[in-house]
Amino acid sequence: RIGSAASLSSAAIDSRLQELVRLFRERTEKVKERLIDPDVTSDDESPVASAAAAPMPAPGGELEGDKPSGDDHYCEMLCCTFKYRPWLDRLKSYQFPSSIDPLTNLMYVLWLFFVVMAWNWNCWLIPVRWAFPYQTPANIHYWLLVDYLCDLIYLLDILIFQTRLQFVQGGDIITDKKAMKENYLQSQRFKMDVLCLLPLDFFYFKVGVNPLLRFPRCLKYLAFFEFNSRLEAILTKAYIYRVIRTTAYLLYSLHVNSCLYYWASAYEGLGSTTWVYDGEGNSYIRCYYWAVKTLITIGGLPDPKTLFEIVFQLLNYFTGVFAFSVMIGQMRDVVGAATAGQTYYRSCMDSTIKYMNFYKIPKTVQNRVKTWYEYTWHSQGMLDESELLVQLPDKMRLDIAIDVNYNIVSKVALFQGCDRQMIFDMLKRLRSVVYLPNDYVCKKGEIGREMYIIQAGQVQVLGGPDGKSVLVTLKAGSVFGEISLLAAGGGNRRTANVVAHGFANLFILEKKDLNEILVHYPESQKLLRKKAKKMLKSNNKPKDEKGGPGDPMIIPPKADTPKLLKAALAATGRMGGKGPLGRLRWRLQELKAMQE
């Protein structure tokens, strides 16, 4: 019984010791993780919910919090029930923003679109209603309905939106309601908005519904130019909108000229001479056709007969030449700005081809250079990304670099645990390079001075006896060559060839750039040195020590003499060297001499 009790207590002690060892090991791993990556949170820091805080079930078996109240609304989808609010309640609870950022608020851009639509209604339809007989007593109420709807949009723009626009004063963004309202009331925009809403409609009771009384509505042109600026800022291909806008300018000038021609024809009398409109067919289409031939100076028009017709035609010709030349010049500027990058690419490629032809570069090299130009341009739309970002402030360049490269660089094992600001500084030094298929990224034996991050494409690591066997294929997001950044003694030699498999876009970080950064981060420098030594030791470790298959040996090495036996032989030697141990000691010395 005593023996069984002792065995049970020893087993309990052993199990307890094993449990303690396991807990200490887990605790050590957690501490290591927190030292390597400070962002990792410990499980001990997470609060544990108390059992006493759990809600007591209701007598019916449900928790009180699970009971749907009478005011809640639910919708069933598949096997789940989702809570939602009625659209009327959501509409009532919606609060209009107290201030609006005119540069980034998309809702404000959408509102400007409606204001511009109302402005275009007035600009395009007032001349038509004034010149052509399209406004009649039978349809006058439809015209007035749309007119006053546009006036309502103008009024809402003044009362609700313009008084809430943020502005910059002394470098500060002002969002105070009173200050924003005063800024708008003192601006030129407010004066023009009030002028365009002059209530000249009261003259309808005296002179009738004359569309010319609504001409001040066309003075809200500032909203049109603001809408153009805001829309171009959010469009990815703004030049398309610029081309459409320039074309609309030309069409509007022709539209106004057609209205003036019909008015002149009605003033002289429809069909009274060969120059005026004869009153046949669609009046607007025929007058528009005449305006196109006049403004573009195509010719083939009948000669004017009266003095009024001659003066009108001369003014038309002068205006047509001026307007058409302005439109052509503006269209050239728009198209030139849209194709500026393409023109720069063609000029660079032509200069390079001219240089290679002058020095008689082989055709194979020329074809690879042309392929590089074409792929680089079509893949990223530019030849050098640094030229695009050089005009931006340092903070904005850092923000762009973080969005593009931080997810990849933060996964590099060498940089985990380093100062976050050091990684940010390193992101700005990355350089993008495009490699063609079968291009060598690095060769075996050369000194490594760069680290490579694969942004797009694949690279292959070659090795083997012939140096052409594919050892591994690295894909987008992979990193190689990072040990070379911290290797001492002139750099770490490459141990294999790395070749681009297809087109590959890589980010390169040079060793000198990293050294310039580490001067300001000594703690990160110590950590990187330690990690680099550890990685170099693991890479230079023979395969036999890792348990892998080593090179076959003809004569295996002799096992080392145990330490206890060495001590016994040494004591025997001091005592005179007699007995079996003395003979064994003499025999071992003889074998050692033969081996040497």
Side-chain angles (χ1 to χ4, degrees), residues 67 245 288 396 416:
K67 283 187 177 182
R245 186 182 62 202
Y288 201 92
M396 291 185 180
Q416 289 183 0

Side-chain angles (χ1 to χ4, degrees), residues 53-89:
M56 296 298 294
E62 283 185 336
L63 294 176
E64 293 182 0
D66 296 337
K67 283 187 177 182
S69 61
D71 297 335
D72 294 339
H73 298 263
Y74 290 82
C75 64
E76 295 185 359
M77 183 180 297
L78 297 179
C79 60
C80 304
T81 302
F82 299 96
K83 182 178 179 181
Y84 74 98
R85 298 174 60 187
W87 66 271
L88 188 59
D89 292 345

Side-chain angles (χ1 to χ4, degrees), residues 303-538:
D303 295 331
K305 303 299 181 181
T306 64
L307 179 62
F308 176 80
E309 294 175 358
I310 293 174
V311 173
F312 187 89
Q313 189 70 355
L314 285 175
L315 293 176
N316 247 329
Y317 279 138
F318 286 133
T319 307
V321 171
F322 176 75
F324 192 68
S325 60
V326 169
M327 296 300 173
I328 292 297
Q330 190 171 3
M331 188 68 73
R332 182 203 61 187
D333 295 340
V334 170
V335 175
T339 59
Q342 184 76 15
T343 304
Y344 173 73
Y345 156 70
R346 293 304 312 175
S347 64
C348 291
M349 190 171 182
D350 293 342
S351 300
T352 305
I353 293 175
K354 183 179 179 180
Y355 173 84
M356 291 188 296
N357 289 333
F358 180 78
Y359 286 99
K360 298 179 181 180
I361 305 297
K363 288 295 181 182
T364 55
V365 178
Q366 292 191 25
N367 292 334
R368 293 183 67 83
V369 171
K370 294 177 183 177
T371 304
W372 181 88
Y373 267 106
E374 292 178 359
Y375 176 78
T376 303
W377 175 256
H378 291 296
S379 62
Q380 57 189 25
M382 63 194 73
L383 297 179
D384 189 2
E385 294 180 352
S386 59
E387 294 181 358
L388 180 66
L389 304 177
V390 69
Q391 299 177 354
L392 296 177
D394 188 69
K395 179 64 173 63
M396 291 185 180
R397 288 204 304 269
L398 175 60
D399 293 340
I400 295 177
I402 291 173
D403 292 335
V404 175
N405 307 325
Y406 182 74
N407 289 334
I408 298 177
V409 177
S410 61
K411 296 177 183 178
V412 180
L414 185 63
F415 300 125
Q416 289 183 0
C418 294
D419 194 321
R420 190 183 298 270
Q421 189 61 41
M422 187 213 76
I423 297 179
F424 290 165
D425 293 344
M426 188 177 62
L427 292 177
K428 295 185 292 185
R429 303 295 185 96
L430 293 179
R431 181 167 51 90
S432 177
V433 178
V434 175
Y435 288 90
L436 300 183
N438 301 322
D439 270 356
Y440 278 90
V441 180
C442 56
K443 293 185 178 181
K444 182 178 180 180
E446 69 179 9
I447 301 299
R449 300 182 181 89
E450 306 92 5
M451 180 191 77
Y452 300 91
I453 303 174
I454 304 177
Q455 182 190 19
Q458 298 178 359
V459 298
Q460 293 179 339
V461 181
L462 305 182
D466 56 352
K468 297 182 180 179
S469 302
V470 179
L471 301 180
V472 66
T473 300
L474 304 177
K475 299 182 180 180
S478 302
V479 180
F480 61 95
E482 64 270 23
I483 302 178
S484 303
L485 294 180
L486 297 170
N492 180 38
R493 292 190 178 273
R494 306 292 188 188
T495 58
N497 296 327
V498 180
V499 180
H501 181 63
F503 292 96
N505 194 345
L506 307 181
F507 284 120
I508 296 179
L509 177 64
E510 296 184 358
K511 185 175 183 179
K512 61 178 183 178
D513 293 334
L514 182 62
N515 291 336
E516 293 176 0
I517 296 173
L518 290 178
V519 172
H520 307 286
Y521 303 96
E523 296 298 329
S524 298
Q525 186 176 14
K526 294 179 182 178
L527 180 61
L528 288 178
R529 297 288 184 191
K530 188 181 298 184
K531 287 188 175 183
K533 290 179 181 179
K534 195 173 183 180
M535 297 174 75
L536 283 173
K537 286 181 181 179
S538 62

